[in-house]
C-alpha cells in the first residue's frame, strides 16, 4: 500500500468520525504491520492512540475484523488468551479492519475513541474508500 492510498483511507476515516461526532485516533498499517499513517483528532481520548494502533496491528495479523475476533477469544472459545500471545498488543474488540485493494490485504486500519460500534463504522469507511477506483 502506498502512502497516498493510506492517506485516502485515513482521510475517509477522519471524515466519518467528524460526521458521526466521535473524536478518534486512526492508525493505518501496511502489510508488514508497520504504521504508515496516523491522526488523533482534537478531543480524542488519550488512550485511543495506542488502542487504535493495536487494533490495526491485530486486524492485519489475523486478516480479519477485530469485531469478529472478540467472540473467539472468550473463555471456552478456540482463541481464548490470544490477547496475551504477542509482545505488541492484540486488541479483540471492534474498530480494526483489514484494508484490501484488488482482493489482496495490503494493510489494516484501527480506530479508537468512540463506542465499539462507532469505531467499527469509522474503520469500515476507511476500508470502503480503497475498494473504489
Amino acid at each position: 500500500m502506498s502512502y497516498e492510498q493510506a492517506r485516502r483511507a485515513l482521510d475517509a476515516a477522519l471524515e466519518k468520525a467528524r460526521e458521526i461526532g466521535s473524536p478518534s485516533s486512526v492508525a493505518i498499517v501496511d502489510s508488514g504491520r508497520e504504521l504508515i499513517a496516523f491522526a488523533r483528532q482534537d478531543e480524542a481520548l488519550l488512550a485511543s492512540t495506542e488502542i487504535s494502533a493495536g487494533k490495526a496491528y491485530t486486524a492485519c495479523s489475523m486478516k480479519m475484523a477485530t469485531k469478529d475476533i472478540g467472540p473467539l477469544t472468550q473463555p471456552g472459545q478456540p482463541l481464548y488468551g490470544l490477547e496475551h500471545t504477542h509482545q505488541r498488543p492484540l486488541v479483540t474488540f471492534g474498530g480494526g479492519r483489514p484494508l484490501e485493494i484488488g482482493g489482496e490485504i495490503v494493510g489494516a486500519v484501527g480506530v479508537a475513541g468512540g463506542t465499539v460500534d462507532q469505531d467499527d463504522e469509522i474503520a469500515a469507511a476507511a476500508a470502503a474508500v480503497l475498494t473504489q477506483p
Side-chain angles (χ1 to χ4, degrees):
M1 171 172 41
S2 71
Y3 172 75
E4 287 305 319
Q5 291 166 322
R7 184 60 194 249
R8 281 183 43 222
L10 179 68
D11 288 346
L14 296 173
E15 182 178 323
K16 178 56 83 171
R18 279 189 292 277
E19 178 185 310
I20 67 173
S22 179
S24 300
S25 287
V26 180
I28 308 285
V29 298
D30 62 18
S31 60
R33 303 175 299 182
E34 296 298 329
L35 188 65
I36 189 170
F38 176 81
R40 180 179 166 270
Q41 293 176 307
D42 295 340
E43 306 301 319
L45 297 171
L46 294 176
S48 66
T49 299
E50 288 188 42
I51 295 169
S52 65
K55 288 179 182 182
Y57 178 82
T58 303
C60 194
S61 295
M62 300 299 291
K63 298 183 179 189
M64 61 190 296
T66 56
K67 71 177 183 150
D68 297 331
I69 299 169
L72 301 172
T73 62
Q74 298 305 305
Q77 296 304 308
L79 298 181
Y80 179 67
L82 177 73
E83 303 94 331
H84 309 290
T85 61
H86 285 67
Q87 285 184 320
R88 289 174 71 177
L90 294 176
V91 181
T92 61
F93 48 90
R97 287 188 176 227
L99 296 175
E100 295 183 21
I101 298 174
E104 178 185 342
I105 295 176
V106 296
V109 57
V111 179
T115 66
V116 171
D117 289 339
Q118 287 172 322
D119 292 351
D120 190 61
E121 182 179 354
I122 295 164
V129 77
L130 293 182
T131 61
Q132 301 167 5

